[in-house]
Amino acid sequence: MTPVAAAEAERYFERLNDEFDAAAEVELHERDLAVANQRLRLRFASPAAAERLYPAVSHLEVPVAGGADVEFCIWDGRATGRSAPGFPWAPDDLTLRGAVRPLCDDRVHTSLEQLSGALICRHHASHRLLCWIPDAEALPWAARSSPVRSAFGWALATPSMPFVHAGCVGRDGNGVLIVGPSGSGKSTTSVACAAAGLDYASDDYLFVRIGEPVVAHSLYCTARIHDYDIERVPGLSGAVVGWVDGPGPKGVVDVRRLAPDRIRKRIQAHALVIPRPTGNSVTTMRAVGSAEALRAMAPSSILQVPQEDPRAALTALGHLARELPAYVLELGGDAMDAA
């Protein structure tokens, strides 16, 4: 990274910060969250952005007080009239994960989020993360159900607490991580467990603190369930608040409606469970080794979930696979059998 390029990254952060400050002078709404033992302040300079992004994380709300460990400054270009500064890069400057190469260095990280179209710029020293959205009212449910996921990953993930593609359910503060690639049944299994009376922390994305004990930290209280699975879980259809379009439509489930008293901010994890749909008539479980557990958990966690240091995240996932017993849950029969 040349000094000129490094200066460009910081200058762009400052210009983007000026745009947020100008938008916030007109209107500002603040919410504090407790996320994995850190206080995160969401500063919305647009009601539309707050209405569409906040519900999925609202179960983590704490009173606004004192300072915060990290600030997310979020605004909507269409609603506020404050745009992101002109993009000083070419299309081939973007990495496959959305990072803007000329605007990333050891002080600043800038990326484009594909689902939301959000431009996310983080300044490490200031602990401030800027998130500009072109039009909050046009955000699809795919983005609203797990809002600014990359921002959470860049801001909060550490070598000892990776951002993991997994669900988590349990009882009395203890439970299991539900891992596997997209389409393996993580969400249906997690939500069926919540409907059956278990505690729920996640169906798809969470932070996992590595150590003794291993602790899963919730991020979103929304789940995405294939349309053909919704009627299989009692009460699920009444908790659907939107739809994710695509070849296989998914209903966005507000778990607060399904199991309002069973959402947990953290659950101590004692095992890894790998769901696998089968054509069998009954649901069964069998123990597997750490290598199979890592193969089920690592690819989607590294490729789909933002990590500042993918190698460190892989090391942490390897530790989880070695330290926690793993089981394959062969799903058969009715979805509620898994619970």
Side-chain angles (χ1 to χ4, degrees), residues 30-33 38-43 62-71:
E30 294 187 326
R31 302 285 188 274
D32 273 14
L33 309 177
Q38 294 194 67
R39 182 175 286 264
L40 174 63
R41 180 155 298 152
L42 303 182
R43 307 184 72 219
V62 294
V64 177
D69 298 303
V70 183
E71 285 187 348

Side-chain angles (χ1 to χ4, degrees), residues 39-40 89 96 105 154 165 177 203 240 255 270 305 313:
R39 182 175 286 264
L40 174 63
W89 63 79
L96 291 176
D105 57 30
W154 295 122
H165 185 213
L177 293 175
D203 78 298
V240 173
V255 184
H270 296 274
V305 182

Side-chain angles (χ1 to χ4, degrees), residues 27-249:
E27 189 167 7
L28 182 66
H29 304 270
E30 294 187 326
R31 302 285 188 274
D32 273 14
L33 309 177
V35 184
N37 302 323
Q38 294 194 67
R39 182 175 286 264
L40 174 63
R41 180 155 298 152
L42 303 182
R43 307 184 72 219
F44 294 102
S46 159
E51 289 168 5
R52 283 156 179 79
L53 300 181
Y54 186 66
V57 295
S58 60
H59 65 298
L60 302 173
E61 183 173 5
V62 294
V64 177
D69 298 303
V70 183
E71 285 187 348
F72 278 17
C73 301
I74 305 168
W75 75 109
D76 170 2
R78 180 178 179 273
T80 64
R82 310 301 307 194
S83 298
F87 298 166
W89 63 79
D92 59 0
D93 287 330
L94 294 177
T95 70
L96 291 176
R97 297 170 67 86
V100 184
R101 291 188 184 95
L103 301 181
C104 294
D105 57 30
D106 58 354
R107 292 171 293 180
V108 176
H109 180 92
T110 308
S111 63
L112 285 171
E113 192 172 74
Q114 183 177 2
L115 274 178
S116 63
L119 178 71
I120 297 168
C121 192
R122 177 195 176 198
H123 194 290
H124 300 264
S126 70
H127 303 290
R128 172 174 278 208
L129 190 146
L130 305 171
C131 179
W132 173 80
I133 300 169
D135 183 358
E137 293 187 359
L139 282 174
W141 274 104
R144 293 173 61 178
S145 58
S146 52
V148 291
R149 190 172 74 230
S150 57
F152 283 103
W154 295 122
L156 299 177
T158 68
S160 62
M161 191 181 71
F163 198 12
V164 181
H165 185 213
C168 184
V169 297
R171 179 170 288 160
D172 299 328
N174 299 287
V176 299
L177 293 175
I178 301 174
V179 302
S182 296
S184 62
K186 293 191 305 299
S187 293
T188 302
T189 301
S190 300
V191 170
C193 287
L198 294 184
D199 294 336
Y200 170 98
S202 167
D203 78 298
D204 223 11
Y205 303 103
L206 44 66
F207 293 96
V208 179
R209 178 78 67 183
I210 307 299
E212 292 291 342
V214 173
V215 180
H217 293 274
S218 176
L219 183 56
Y220 302 122
C221 62
T222 45
R224 291 181 288 199
I225 307 295
H226 282 289
D227 56 350
Y228 50 76
D229 279 333
I230 288 175
E231 296 302 327
R232 299 175 65 203
V233 179
L236 202 54
S237 60
V240 173
V241 293
W243 288 90
V244 175
D245 296 328

